[in-house]
Structures are given as structure tokens and as C-alpha cells.
Amino acid sequence: LIEPNSRDLVSDRLPSTYCPRQSRALQAAMNFMLALLASTIAVAISKQDACSAEMPQQRTAILLQKDARVKVSVGPLEPCADNPSNWQSSSGHTCDEFVAAQWCTADGGYGPGWESSFGTFDQWPDLADGSSAPEACCGCGGGKPASHTTVTVTRYVTQPACVDTPVGWQGSGGRTCGDYAENHFCNEDGSLGIGWNISWGTFADWSVNGISADEACCDCGGGTSASSTTVTATQYITQHVCADSPVDWQGSSGRTCADYSANHLCNEDGSLGIGWNLSWGTFADWAVNGISAADACCDCGGGTSAFSSTMTTTTTRYITQHICADSPVDWQGSSGRTCADYSANHLCNEDGSLGTGWNLSWGTFADWAVNGISAADACCDCGGGTSASPNAVQHTCADTPNNWQGSSGRTCADHSANHLCNEDGSFGIGWSISWGTFADWAVDGISAVDACCACGGGTQATNLAMH
């Protein structure tokens, strides 16, 4: 026999094969995903048409919901895997080399590069398992069909928001906006709250730089209006897998599925492997309860087909805040009053008109201008100032601890996927009241509402970036 010459290889890309199986695998994978996502979206993925030499491209759909825009991206399907992945002929040539040299065709036939003097494919098997190129190589009509696709669902929700201004405000008593809200010191309309002691006076009595809680804090009727966009990206990776069935199968000799695979006792098409001694008879001779390796073991052509899905979710909240800067920042009128004074004493309104604290006998703002610049020109709270570039305030959340599991073994991802909780920390539609409370399934005192972002817990982080 004349050995095929590896030096005459022609560079070419590996053709895709098994398109009919791709279509079935993709359709099955999408059916699985649709069932998983049915509560939030409806996605229709059509079957592929004819067999193509090109990998299917990523598919993207934009769906509009009542309160959100949803983007669904389906990644390309992995069509086939050489089996074994490191296959080599007895001459030392790989699957890629067989394809590049055009020694085989995608349907398992002999290619134009194969010479009759080479003999047959069977004369050049892999010495490890006895498989030939048409059995092992995708480009030669063999290999192992696989179905592996990635579905990414991104949900965009935009809604009005408010930002405490200035961020980090504290009154002269040291209390923050969070303290005012938590202790019910104020109401959203700016009035005194049920927790406020009348003996403390007014909000203005505790202002700093002329800014009181009802001006700085969103929960007290102040703050700055903004728009908030929450982006939730959920990635589902679904693949077609096989499970030995039963998972702990052993033949009458005590050999397991792993033993059959490791010792090459069987092939994936259910035939006897190169490691099988013919004196042992057939697989059926070593069956238990009528189940042989060919029935139970994936590597022997048996087992149970299943789908495996993993999910990761990342939620990011972006707040765009349009701000204003007094201009000039240290403006003072001819009376010595600053922009903060005008604001604190209600001398002006945001629309540039005279405020309730202005005495009409003082004339107009222009009468107190300096260098032709009045409060109505210089001060944001008086309708002036300079618009600044928006701040992008990014709120992110991380599950804490990131590998949390409840006493039932459920993770944060499980709570989210099965709708066991809501983002406000309440029970989700998937939670059974008979299970008690989240605290009943806590570990080390940490429950899902403490650990999981999707349940209102986790660790919040805020990043402020000027554009």
C-alpha cells in the first residue's frame, strides 16, 4: 500500500455536515427554551431550509412589551464534533487533514484527492478504537452530531426616576435622605412626616448651605428628576445531552458504562468495540434485568436523550440625570446674597419668577444684578445657570455570597428562574405558601431575600460617571 502523502495537503475550510440533524436539534432546543420563557416572551424560530455549507448565523428578534423592549438573540448551532476529537488514521493523519487533502466527501465517499492505490478507508483506521474517517470525522460524513445553542434574552425597561441632589446630602443634624425616609420624617409632597417631632421646627432649620431635606431628598419631595433604564440580560445555554440509564448500570460482570467506554468494549452505534473479546459472546450475554450496555450506556449507543440548560442573569440599572450648575458658581448679587440664599429664602422660583420670600419693594432681580447678571441668569433654582452634561449613574447588584444556596439546595438562579421571589423581596408566583417563609430555608441566617438580587437582596453598587 502507498501511504497518503501528508505533504500534498490543500488548505480548505472544514465543510459543515448533518444539516437535517441541525434543524431537528435547533427546533428541539428552541421548543425547550420557549417553554422556559413562556411566562415573559413569545419567540418563534423557524426551521432551517436546505443544507448549507455555512454555519447558521445568529438570529435576533426584537419584541415589544407593554412596559419594555425585549431583544432575543439565538446563537449559531454547533453542527458536529469529530469523535473521537483527536482521531488519527494509522498513517497519523487527522480529520482536518483528510478534509483539506480532499480524501473524503461530506457524505462519506472518496474525495478527488484519494488515489485508488491508497486502498479503502477501512485500511487506515484509528489504532486506538478502530474507527475509520467516515465514522469519526465530520468532514467525511461521520463524527458526533451535537446541538448546542445559546439564547440571550435582554429586557430594557425605562421609567421615570429621581436622584437625591446633592448625592450624599446630610442635614445639619447629620441625618441623610435615607434617614429621613426610614424614620418617616417627611412625606413625598414635601410636608412634615409622622415621625417628625414638631419641637424640631421646620426642615429649613436643619438645612446645610441653604438646602433642606425637602429640596435634596426624593422621598421628601425634592431631588432631581431623571430617567431610569433597567437592563436585564439572561443567557440560556441549551445543549442536547445523553444520560446513562439507569445511571448506575452494571453488567453481570460488574463492569459499568464507564468501564465499557474506557476499555473500548463498545462503539457509539451499539456494535462491539475493539476491546471486546469475541469469546465473551454478545452484550446481551452480560445484561442485567434484560438491560445490556447497548441499552444503558450512552457510549454504547444507549442511554436517554435529554436537554441540559444553564442560565446566568445580570441586572444593571442606568439613571440618566440632567443637572444644572450655577454660573458663575460663586455668583453674588449686589446685596451680597448668593444663589443658595435665593433658594433657601424662596426669593425666586425655578421658572425665573419672583418667589414668595421676595418683597416687592425690592424691585426686580435685575435691580440687584452684578455685571449685568441677575439671579435669574446665574442661579439654577431661579431658572438660570448652565445645563451640564448628564451623569450616568449605574446601579449594579451582585448576589452575596455569589454561590449562595438555601437549605433546600436552591440557588439564586433557581429562585429567579422558577419565579420563587420578586425583586421587592416578596413571594413570587412560583412559591408555595406551604413552604413557609424565605427565612425557613436560610443558611447561616442568610435567606434568598438577603443574598439574591432577583429577590431584593445582594449587594448594591453605584458608579457615577460624567460624560
Side-chain angles (χ1 to χ4, degrees):
L1 292 176
I2 300 176
E3 179 180 331
N5 188 351
S6 63
R7 301 291 176 257
D8 295 333
L9 301 181
V10 178
S11 177
D12 195 2
R13 71 189 298 271
L14 183 67
S16 175
T17 59
Y18 291 100
C19 285
R21 282 187 284 185
Q22 292 178 40
S23 295
R24 291 195 295 272
L26 177 60
Q27 189 65 39
M30 287 312 305
N31 287 340
F32 176 82
M33 291 309 309
L34 287 174
L36 185 63
L37 300 173
S39 62
T40 55
I41 63 172
V43 181
I45 302 295
S46 62
K47 289 186 177 181
Q48 298 174 34
D49 295 327
C51 183
S52 168
E54 296 295 329
M55 293 280 285
Q57 299 300 309
Q58 175 165 302
R59 299 158 180 255
T60 300
I62 302 294
L63 307 176
L64 297 179
Q65 292 184 331
K66 181 179 180 180
D67 63 341
R69 183 171 65 93
V70 178
K71 178 180 179 182
V72 182
S73 299
V74 181
L77 184 70
E78 178 187 309
C80 178
D82 294 332
N83 186 39
S85 60
N86 60 347
W87 183 88
Q88 283 189 335
S89 70
S90 57
S91 62
H93 295 91
T94 65
C95 288
D96 287 349
E97 290 173 336
F98 263 70
V99 173
Q102 299 184 12
W103 288 337
C104 62
T105 61
D107 59 3
Y110 295 101
W114 188 268
E115 299 179 14
S116 59
S117 60
F118 296 165
T120 66
F121 291 136
D122 291 336
Q123 292 174 286
W124 303 95
D126 187 316
L127 296 180
D129 65 2
S131 61
S132 65
E135 295 170 323
C137 304
C138 292
C140 298
K144 181 180 180 180
S147 62
H148 177 116
T149 189
T150 300
V151 178
T152 301
V153 180
T154 306
R155 189 169 186 263
Y156 304 86
V157 180
T158 301
Q159 56 190 10
C162 179
V163 178
D164 294 334
T165 307
V167 176
W169 178 87
Q170 288 186 336
S172 59
R175 288 191 171 95
T176 65
C177 288
D179 294 330
Y180 271 71
E182 183 177 350
N183 294 288
H184 306 289
F185 291 155
C186 62
N187 300 316
E188 288 191 0
D189 61 2
S191 60
L192 302 176
I194 193 171
W196 185 267
N197 190 319
I198 298 299
S199 66
W200 298 342
T202 67
F203 295 141
D205 295 329
W206 302 90
S207 64
V208 172
N209 296 326
I211 302 175
S212 61
D214 59 327
E215 296 166 321
C217 304
C218 293
D219 289 328
C220 299
T224 303
S225 296
S227 63
S228 168
T229 300
T230 301
V231 181
T232 303
T234 304
Q235 185 178 75
Y236 303 86
I237 300 178
T238 305
Q239 52 188 350
H240 197 187
V241 297
C242 179
D244 296 331
S245 181
V247 293
D248 56 354
W249 180 87
Q250 287 185 336
S252 58
S253 66
R255 286 191 175 98
T256 64
C257 287
D259 295 329
Y260 270 72
S261 177
N263 295 287
H264 306 288
L265 302 183
C266 62
N267 298 318
E268 287 195 358
D269 61 3
S271 61
L272 302 175
I274 194 172
W276 185 269
N277 190 320
L278 294 181
S279 65
W280 299 341
T282 66
F283 294 141
D285 295 329
W286 303 91
V288 172
N289 296 326
I291 302 174
S292 70
D295 304 311
C297 305
C298 292
D299 288 336
C300 299
T304 302
S305 182
F307 278 99
S308 172
S309 181
T310 58
M311 181 187 75
T312 57
T313 301
T314 303
T315 300
T316 305
R317 185 170 180 242
Y318 298 92
I319 297 180
T320 302
Q321 177 188 1
H322 295 280
I323 61 175
C324 176
D326 295 333
S327 179
V329 293
D330 55 354
W331 180 87
Q332 288 186 339
S334 59
S335 66
R337 286 192 175 95
T338 64
C339 287
D341 294 330
Y342 271 71
S343 178
N345 294 289
H346 306 289
L347 302 182
C348 62
N349 299 318
E350 288 190 2
D351 60 3
S353 59
L354 301 175
T356 56
W358 185 267
N359 190 319
L360 295 181
S361 66
W362 299 340
T364 66
F365 294 142
D367 294 328
W368 303 92
V370 172
N371 296 326
I373 302 175
S374 69
D377 303 312
C379 304
C380 293
D381 288 337
C382 299
T386 303
S387 294
S389 299
N391 286 345
V393 183
Q394 178 179 338
H395 296 265
T396 59
C397 180
D399 295 333
T400 307
N402 61 5
N403 59 348
W404 180 86
Q405 287 186 334
S407 58
S408 67
R410 287 190 175 97
T411 64
C412 288
D414 294 330
H415 278 71
S416 177
N418 294 290
H419 307 289
L420 303 183
C421 61
N422 299 317
E423 287 189 3
D424 60 3
S426 60
F427 297 119
I429 195 171
W431 184 269
S432 172
I433 298 300
S434 64
W435 298 342
T437 66
F438 295 133
D440 295 329
W441 303 91
V443 172
D444 296 329
I446 302 174
S447 69
V449 296
D450 304 311
C452 305
C453 294
C455 301
T459 301
Q460 300 287 333
T462 302
N463 299 314
L464 180 61
M466 289 294 293
H467 294 287

